[in-house]
Amino acid sequence: MEDGKCIMTWDLLGGEHDLIAAAQHLVQALAAKKNFTDTERKLLAEIGAQLCTLAVRVEPNEVKEVPDVTYIEERLNAVEVRINNWEADQSMLWECGEEEVSLYLNCVNETLEIISSLEQQPFREGVDDSPLLRRVHDILQIAMTRLEDEFKYILSLNQIPFEPQVVSFRSSEDDICVDESLMNSFEDDSREVILKENSGRCSEEHSIDLVNPDVIPDLRLIANLMTSSNYHHECTNAYISLRKEALEECLLNLEIEKLSIEEVLKMEWGCLSSKIKRWIRAMKVFVPHYLTREKYLSEQIFGDSGPMSVSCFLESSKLSILQLLNFGGAIAIGPHEPEKLFRVLDMYEVLTDLVTEIDSLFATEDGSSVRIECHEVLERLGDCVRSTAMEFENAIATNVSTVPFAGGGIHHLTKYVMNYIRLLIDYNAILNLLLKDCQKEDVTLAQTAKAPTMKLDNETDCSLTTLPMAIYFRSVSCVLEAKLNEKSTLYKDASLQHFFMMNNIHYMAQKVMNSELRSHFGDEWIRKHNWKFQQEAINYERASWSPILALLKEDGLYHAGSKSISKTLLKERFRTFHLVFEDIYKSQTSWVISDPQLREDLRISTSLKVIQAYRAFHGRHVSEIGEKYTKYHADDLEELILDLFEASQKSLQSSHRR
């Protein structure tokens, strides 16, 4: 076709002829031509677009008549040419400029008007099955398929990959925008407020866009047009498919893997602990930041509160949130090993903080499965916390030793237990909530342990001491004391039994007195245990030094029936004293007291008793037998006592220390 021929055609028709008839004539002429140049194709497209926009003009007082089928068919021909031309073109509409988009959308609207006109025909009985109606629906389907492709193209091209660092983390410890040093200075009821306030600020300061905001109007326009054309399923399915992929990518960026329950249960603790930390971090980001914006995105495209936006959000996000919740559920049903308690508490804490938000995001009936799963996982995690806490007591009570702990020092179990419960203070509010049903008048393993002299302390000197967690802590300490008492019997030396108990009870008392545990155990508990370790120290001195002190008494040194001292017996007494002291020195230099103050106090106490008695005895009798029979002076012994309790065994083989 040449431009001149096109003009001639218009001239021949003239301005008096009907414009639609001219268009029909032009279309028929062009339809016979098989090959078109780019210029001809463009001209044809422009003419077709103009024809699409033509409407029947009606005067104000003129009664509009239902257009006849011939007229409708003429309009349909023009629309069909335009849409088919675009189908032959591989370009995307939204890459060709606003004018092309507008022309195409006008054609779609014209198609919808044609369908409406056909449905208004007088004899409806045969219209639905008419070839013309089927033809116009075929054209509409072509247009809708094109718009669906355009929708997916725009959405996929403009999705913004989620980067976790966009949401500010204070540190690798997974706390979002929270200053822990400040938070720990407040009571527990303030801690929750601080978390919520900071969490809110994080959301406002780090609002994220999931799709380029500039294309939202275009996506909304296509969605509205496809919805009005009864092609909403195609549009929403395209949206859901793409957003599901985006959500999966988000979880991958947060280092969350798809794991079955069996895979979680078989995992070694070191690996599992790392995955729990990632899960906690992911939950803190995914729910309040990502899912909130995901819901907002669907509302922007499909309407603020319409069923389509709700459905799109639910269908696109349900699998991802359930994947996270299923991991939490798998952890909850795993073995209740004590080392897992802190991680489970962290999981329970973060899910507790998010449960209200999850309920809000999935508030509709279709979202009930997510809400139910969330609450069930939270309940199972709570049960896991309670069971693990009780299992911790059981693990202490059933801890088995077949050999005595070297040196009578602080047992590994003592350190582990006391540091364990000290760390639990950070979960004060949660544990008080979860353990309240576990305390039945203090009926715990502590009461059945084989330690009849040990009872739970029921102090009322501080309000915290009556809370479930405080009762639990004291119960654990009772179980520990009972187990330590049992372990002490592994020593054959009675003095070492008391030495061992002194060390361990002193450690427990100091750990409580010098930490936040003090407010939970109470001052009365501390006084009792200070008295306990002091009594064990006294019992140690009696068992260890009483025999040697007996050698420094006058009894048994006199001749039979005389008041004079036997030099032979006196020499034997000094010799025996030296041998016994050297044996004690050799053994007790290998014993250990880790606490410097306790070590110094016990040395001083021993020196006061032994050195004073030896100095007095030596002073009274050295002149009777001579220096060569007194191996040590009092000052020598005093220096030797300073070697005790250093965990480095020494032996006295030299004859004198002067």
Side-chain angles (χ1 to χ4, degrees):
M1 182 184 72
E2 298 177 359
D3 293 345
K5 291 182 180 179
C6 177
I7 295 172
M8 187 182 299
T9 303
W10 281 103
D11 289 340
L12 290 171
L13 289 173
E16 299 297 327
H17 292 78
D18 182 82
L19 184 59
I20 299 300
Q24 182 180 9
H25 179 80
L26 180 61
V27 168
Q28 290 173 349
L30 293 173
K33 186 175 178 62
K34 295 183 179 180
N35 298 319
F36 294 92
T37 65
D38 290 341
T39 302
E40 291 170 344
R41 186 183 297 279
K42 183 176 180 182
L43 180 60
L44 181 61
E46 290 174 355
I47 295 173
Q50 293 297 326
L51 292 173
C52 289
T53 61
L54 294 177
V56 179
R57 296 181 181 178
V58 181
E59 295 299 328
N61 296 324
E62 182 181 353
V63 178
K64 184 177 180 181
E65 297 180 357
V66 177
D68 58 34
V69 174
T70 302
Y71 173 70
I72 293 174
E73 188 172 4
E74 291 172 351
R75 294 170 63 192
L76 180 58
N77 290 337
V79 169
E80 186 175 24
V81 169
R82 173 64 171 166
I83 290 178
N84 284 335
N85 282 339
W86 265 111
E87 282 305 299
D89 194 331
Q90 297 300 313
S91 303
M92 301 305 292
L93 277 168
W94 263 259
E95 288 184 340
C96 297
E98 293 182 5
E99 183 177 353
E100 291 296 325
V101 170
S102 178
L103 292 174
Y104 192 86
L105 294 180
N106 284 339
C107 283
V108 175
N109 287 324
E110 179 75 4
T111 305
L112 293 173
E113 289 181 11
I114 292 171
I115 292 174
S116 177
S117 297
L118 286 172
E119 290 174 345
Q120 294 176 22
Q121 291 302 305
F123 302 101
R124 284 280 304 169
E125 291 82 338
V127 171
D128 289 341
D129 298 325
S130 70
L132 190 59
L133 190 58
R134 289 197 299 272
R135 179 182 164 202
V136 72
H137 275 294
D138 289 342
I139 295 171
L140 180 64
Q141 184 172 359
I142 293 171
M144 290 297 110
T145 301
R146 157 69 70 167
L147 289 180
E148 180 184 347
D149 291 341
E150 296 285 341
F151 184 88
K152 289 191 289 187
Y153 176 77
I154 297 169
L155 183 57
S156 61
L157 188 66
N158 290 277
Q159 288 182 141
I160 300 174
F162 177 71
E163 298 177 358
Q165 58 267 30
V166 171
V167 181
S168 176
F169 282 86
R170 187 184 60 83
S171 71
S172 61
E173 293 303 317
D174 306 328
D175 296 310
I176 304 177
C177 301
V178 178
D179 187 338
E180 287 288 353
S181 61
L182 174 66
M183 185 175 67
N184 288 337
S185 66
F186 288 82
E187 294 296 330
D188 292 305
D189 55 350
S190 301
R191 182 172 184 265
E192 184 177 356
V193 175
I194 295 169
L195 279 169
K196 288 181 178 178
E197 290 177 349
N198 279 279
S199 177
R201 287 196 294 271
C202 290
S203 296
E204 293 171 1
E205 294 172 4
H206 300 284
S207 179
I208 54 177
D209 288 318
L210 307 182
V211 171
N212 184 345
D214 294 340
V215 302
I216 296 296
D218 294 326
L219 293 171
R220 184 167 56 243
L221 177 64
I222 296 174
N224 288 339
L225 187 53
M226 292 185 71
T227 299
S228 64
S229 304
N230 292 323
Y231 279 80
H232 53 281
H233 289 301
E234 287 77 2
C235 184
T236 55
N237 287 342
Y239 176 86
I240 291 168
S241 175
L242 287 170
R243 293 313 302 165
K244 272 185 179 179
E245 293 177 4
L247 286 159
E248 289 175 1
E249 183 180 353
C250 171
L251 292 184
L252 287 176
N253 288 338
L254 289 168
E255 301 180 275
I256 299 298
E257 305 173 46
K258 288 184 178 179
L259 297 169
S260 67
I261 293 177
E262 292 75 16
E263 289 174 320
V264 173
L265 295 178
K266 291 179 181 178
M267 202 170 292
E268 293 183 358
W269 172 240
C271 180
L272 191 58
S273 176
S274 176
K275 293 191 182 301
I276 292 174
K277 289 172 68 176
R278 293 174 184 173
W279 182 90
I280 291 168
R281 181 175 184 264
M283 289 294 289
K284 289 179 178 180
V285 174
F286 190 74
V287 174
H289 298 281
Y290 199 94
L291 282 189
T292 300
R293 297 300 294 179
E294 186 68 37
K295 186 174 184 181
Y296 178 62
L297 176 64
S298 66
E299 290 172 349
Q300 283 183 298
I301 296 174
F302 297 104
D304 290 347
S305 57
M308 283 180 61
S309 67
V310 173
S311 175
C312 285
F313 168 71
L314 290 176
E315 292 303 317
S316 60
S317 62
K318 188 182 294 184
L319 289 179
S320 295
I321 187 64
L322 287 177
Q323 177 184 337
L324 288 167
L325 292 173
N326 288 340
F327 178 83
I331 295 296
I333 64 175
H336 300 146
E337 298 166 349
E339 64 266 23
K340 295 183 180 180
L341 181 57
F342 297 97
R343 291 285 178 237
V344 177
L345 280 166
D346 289 335
M347 295 178 76
Y348 184 89
E349 185 175 48
V350 73
L351 194 54
T352 299
D353 291 340
L354 295 173
V355 67
T356 301
E357 195 156 7
I358 292 173
D359 284 346
S360 176
L361 287 168
F362 298 90
T364 63
E365 183 177 351
D366 290 339
S368 61
S369 60
V370 174
R371 298 197 310 275
I372 291 170
E373 181 66 15
C374 179
H375 284 270
E376 287 182 351
V377 169
L378 187 63
E379 184 178 353
R380 289 198 292 270
L381 287 171
D383 292 339
C384 182
V385 168
R386 283 186 285 266
S387 298
T388 307
M390 296 304 106
E391 181 58 31
F392 179 57
E393 281 192 278
N394 184 61
I396 299 168
T398 56
N399 183 271
V400 177
S401 297
T402 56
V403 294
F405 189 71
I410 303 166
H411 200 280
H412 298 318
L413 181 65
T414 308
K415 292 181 179 179
Y416 178 76
V417 170
M418 296 309 296
N419 284 298
Y420 189 98
I421 62 175
R422 183 181 178 183
L423 290 173
L424 286 176
I425 289 200
D426 291 337
Y427 305 93
N428 182 65
I430 294 175
L431 284 172
N432 280 322
L433 174 67
L434 294 177
L435 294 178
K436 65 181 180 180
D437 296 330
C438 296
Q439 307 298 337
K440 305 296 183 182
E441 300 296 330
D442 295 347
V443 178
T444 65
L445 287 166
Q447 292 179 304
T448 59
K450 296 179 180 179
T453 60
M454 296 180 182
K455 297 179 181 179
L456 286 174
D457 304 306
N458 295 311
E459 300 94 331
T460 57
D461 58 336
C462 173
S463 59
L464 287 179
T465 62
T466 62
L467 293 176
M469 190 172 76
I471 296 172
Y472 172 72
F473 283 173
R474 295 197 299 275
S475 172
V476 169
S477 74
C478 279
V479 177
L480 175 61
E481 284 183 63
K483 181 52 60 173
L484 291 172
N485 190 60
E486 180 184 311
K487 291 181 183 297
S488 71
T489 61
L490 296 172
Y491 298 104
K492 295 180 180 180
D493 187 341
S495 61
L496 188 50
Q497 292 179 6
H498 295 298
F499 185 86
F500 173 78
M501 291 300 295
M502 172 201 70
N503 257 325
N504 284 271
I505 294 176
H506 176 267
Y507 179 86
M508 293 171 65
Q510 290 295 304
K511 203 71 175 179
V512 170
M513 187 168 61
N514 298 323
S515 72
E516 305 90 334
L517 289 170
R518 181 169 194 155
S519 58
H520 294 77
F521 279 80
D523 291 338
E524 181 61 25
W525 186 95
I526 295 172
R527 283 192 293 271
K528 286 183 179 180
H529 284 74
N530 281 336
W531 178 85
K532 281 183 179 181
F533 89 77
Q534 289 166 4
Q535 282 299 116
E536 295 292 350
I538 293 171
N539 292 336
Y540 149 77
E541 289 181 334
R542 286 174 179 168
S544 193
W545 298 102
S546 290
I548 201 171
L549 290 174
L551 295 172
L552 301 177
K553 295 181 179 180
E554 305 294 324
D555 301 343
L557 291 176
Y558 293 91
H559 289 291
S562 172
K563 293 184 178 181
S564 63
I565 291 179
S566 169
K567 291 184 179 181
T568 301
L569 293 174
L570 186 60
K571 291 176 184 178
E572 182 62 23
R573 183 68 64 86
F574 270 105
R575 190 183 71 83
T576 303
F577 175 86
H578 296 149
L579 290 173
V580 174
F581 182 86
E582 287 171 358
D583 285 343
I584 292 175
Y585 178 87
K586 181 179 180 180
S587 62
Q588 295 196 17
T589 51
S590 67
W591 296 5
V592 60
I593 299 178
S594 301
D595 185 83
Q597 189 60 52
L598 179 61
R599 183 170 61 244
E600 184 65 20
D601 290 345
L602 195 59
R603 285 171 177 171
I604 292 172
S605 177
T606 300
S607 292
L608 288 174
K609 293 178 176 65
V610 177
I611 303 306
Q612 278 186 348
Y614 181 78
R615 182 176 280 116
F617 187 81
H618 181 273
R620 288 195 302 271
H621 301 295
V622 66
S623 60
E624 299 178 32
I625 58 174
E627 289 285 351
K628 68 176 182 178
Y629 293 105
T630 56
K631 194 172 183 180
Y632 302 103
H633 284 175
D635 292 343
D636 296 329
L637 297 179
E638 193 168 12
E639 288 183 20
L640 292 172
I641 287 174
L642 295 178
D643 292 338
L644 302 182
F645 319 134
E646 293 282 359
S648 178
Q649 189 175 51
K650 298 179 181 179
S651 180
L652 294 171
Q653 299 298 332
S654 58
S655 59
H656 291 275
R657 292 256 313 220
R658 295 196 175 185

